[in-house]
Amino acid sequence: MRSLIKHVLRSSEPAADLHVAGWVRTRRDSKSFSFLELNDGSCLGNLQIIADTNIPGYESIPKIHTGASIVVRGHLVHSPAPGQQWELQASSLELIGEAPEDYPLQKKGHSSEFLRSIAHLRPRTNLYGAVFRTRSRMAFAIHRFFQERDFICVHTPIITSSDCEGAGEMFRVTTLSDDKISRDAEDFFGKRAFLTVSGQLEAETFACALSNVYTFGPTFRAENSNTSRHAAEFWMIEPEVAFCDLEGNMDLAESLVKFLVNEMLENNEGDLAIFEKFVDKGLRERLEFVASRPFERISHSRAVALLMTSGVEFTYPVGPGLNLQSEHERWLTEEHFKKPVTVFNYPKEIKPFYMRLNDDGLTVTAMDVLVPGIGEIIGGSQREERLDVLMENFAKHGLDPAAYSWYVDLRKYGSVPHAGFGLGFERLLMFVTGMTNIRDVIPFARTPGHCEF
Ligand code: 4AD
Ligand code: MG
């Protein structure tokens, strides 16, 4: 059976009759043998292959260029070369797929913009291989975090008729032809339908039955903000906990981020070294710092006071009733506290209908976790569980309660305080890899004007 190079490189002793396969990174020929650097993407490292001129398959060597796929059988032996423990002494070689000279990844050091234009090939580079292995490990770690804490995974719908965030940024889903586009009753679902912006409302219903739940799935936003931190299609992790208040919610959010940072530090398959080398020299130090210290917690009003007395001239205005912009979030985390900051109790006017009103009548139990280099990575709140207050909120936000009758039922029948949040999966990946553009942590990014592949 074929061995993954990851396991071969970790061998504790020499082995006979190994079988590996992958894509050639480089080839060098000498008189009596050739060296091939082989990578199969299972880990960062290459396996060095020594192919003597007399082995079966050697005649295809002149056709084996960078990018070609090959299968090799042979013996794993200690390598005399510095910097590597093992090499494979080939006993046979088979060229599977040639890669002609126009293979785009001949040289190292391509720009991230260029690599985005060949997103189908970029996972074959060291950096993007590391990014997407990290993405996979982090996804698994997220499930592990929740499963180990008795959270139940709920698959909430991707097609929905309700706008959770009320921001009017939904992609419409329709089967109507252009000339009938406004005849909602004739549409597939008998009414307007959209791609979900959040699984929260549905997760709330399950929390109000199964206590601790989470969703982890794709979400879609048609916000036309062409920034390095926004995508039209991104993944969100949304836990929802019954009998939980704002404080419990902040505890859970912060412990999730710390858990994932520790996961990156302790179980990174060598990929962290690549991010440190090519992306961010101080990455490990920053992650260790975040893992070992408590997050700062401050109210929105205190954050505003700090910003107003900072002496910094921000582009966007700062004030008691205003939302924090990315530049403000970054000042708090990078300049002032120099660590992650959880901001809570935001003005009610700037937040969605479902957030619980505080006793002051002015703020809601919202919370955002902000991290250095990125700003907001988590947004959440305690939910309004009081029927009368929720009904007032619908009115204030201009929403039709009839459309949310199922959501209202939760407040009618055995209502409980509950809370939850959404962690942006790509923002988390940016944080733990140091990658500065969201397009570079998504296999095939969807952003305004871009839907290739
Ligand atoms: O703050 P948001 O909008 O919160 C919600 O959607 C809540 N319904 C979540 C909940 O309470 N269950 O989004 C949550 C997170 C943000 O903090 C951010 O990390 C990420 O989702 N996010 C985006 N990531 C990439 N591209 C976008 N356009 C994003 N919009 C939000
Ligand atoms: Mg938010």
Side-chain angles (χ1 to χ4, degrees), residues 405-433:
S405 61
W406 52 279
Y407 189 77
V408 171
D409 272 357
L410 298 177
R411 280 72 185 165
K412 257 180 36 204
Y413 307 123
S415 189
V416 292
H418 59 287
F421 60 83
L423 166 65
F425 188 42
E426 287 77 13
R427 300 240 180 123
L428 169 87
L429 290 172
M430 292 168 74
F431 185 57
V432 298
T433 60

Side-chain angles (χ1 to χ4, degrees), residues 29-30 44-45 54 69 74 84 94 96 132 143 165 199 206 218 248 254 275 372 393 397:
D29 301 328
S30 76
L44 181 66
N54 58 2
S69 54
Q84 61 183 30
E94 193 185 346
I96 304 294
F132 294 113
H143 282 293
E165 294 306 297
F206 270 69
E254 293 171 3
F275 302 132
N393 285 354
H397 285 85

Side-chain angles (χ1 to χ4, degrees), residues 85-344:
Q85 202 184 349
W86 300 109
E87 58 189 32
L88 193 75
Q89 187 72 53
S91 51
S92 73
L93 181 77
E94 193 185 346
L95 171 60
I96 304 294
E98 276 187 63
E101 271 164 24
D102 61 353
Y103 181 61
L105 299 173
Q106 300 287 350
K107 301 185 304 252
K108 291 183 175 141
H110 294 293
S111 73
S112 49
E113 288 78 11
F114 170 70
L115 290 170
R116 268 174 230 150
S117 76
I118 51 162
H120 55 302
L121 294 173
R122 71 178 177 170
R124 293 194 193 179
T125 64
N126 280 343
L127 178 58
Y128 289 88
V131 166
F132 294 113
R133 282 189 299 270
T134 300
R135 187 172 170 121
S136 165
R137 276 198 307 274
M138 285 294 141
F140 187 56
I142 285 161
H143 282 293
R144 193 151 47 77
F145 175 89
F146 287 114
Q147 296 284 337
E148 282 173 356
R149 286 159 183 76
D150 290 315
F151 280 67
I152 291 158
C153 180
V154 182
H155 297 134
T156 52
I158 287 171
I159 301 175
T160 180
S161 58
S162 46
D163 180 359
C164 175
E165 294 306 297
E169 292 163 343
M170 301 180 91
F171 287 101
R172 187 164 168 200
V173 176
T174 181
T175 52
L176 291 174
S177 55
D178 290 351
D179 52 325
K180 295 186 182 150
I181 198 74
S182 55
R183 295 197 214 160
D184 295 349
E186 288 172 32
D187 207 345
F188 189 89
F189 298 105
K191 57 177 168 180
R192 274 185 193 235
F194 306 89
L195 294 178
T196 186
V197 296
S198 163
Q200 176 197 324
L201 303 186
E202 291 89 353
E204 280 188 56
T205 70
F206 270 69
C208 292
L210 306 180
S211 290
N212 297 357
V213 303
Y214 69 105
T215 74
F216 185 176
T219 49
F220 307 86
R221 295 198 185 175
E223 47 192 339
N224 205 358
S225 43
N226 223 333
T227 79
S228 59
R229 301 172 310 117
H230 288 88
E233 176 177 322
F234 61 100
W235 283 58
M236 224 201 296
I237 299 95
E238 296 182 275
E240 193 69 34
V241 184
F243 306 99
C244 179
D245 61 8
L246 175 66
E247 186 145 326
N249 204 30
M250 293 195 284
D251 290 345
L252 183 67
E254 293 171 3
S255 65
L256 174 60
V257 174
K258 279 190 180 229
F259 177 90
L260 295 172
V261 166
N262 272 316
E263 173 72 17
M264 188 66 195
L265 285 167
E266 288 160 16
N267 187 14
N268 66 66
E269 308 274 356
D271 293 331
L272 183 55
I274 276 288
F275 302 132
E276 280 217 285
K277 189 167 171 200
F278 293 112
V279 184
D280 182 350
K281 301 248 169 320
L283 180 64
R284 183 186 295 271
E285 205 182 322
R286 193 169 66 245
L287 294 179
E288 278 168 355
F289 183 89
V290 167
S292 63
R293 281 176 187 71
F295 290 17
E296 190 70 31
R297 275 188 199 177
I298 56 166
S299 66
H300 177 270
S301 58
R302 176 135 180 264
V304 166
L306 287 171
L307 288 158
M308 289 177 77
T309 54
S310 66
V312 180
E313 286 215 9
F314 294 107
T315 313
Y316 293 91
V318 184
L322 301 177
N323 214 346
L324 301 181
Q325 301 297 326
S326 159
E327 56 173 347
H328 309 138
E329 297 174 342
R330 295 189 61 170
W331 180 83
L332 289 167
T333 57
E334 288 161 35
E335 305 294 324
H336 191 71
F337 291 111
K338 300 194 182 346
K339 61 176 170 173
V341 181
T342 306
V343 182
F344 60 92

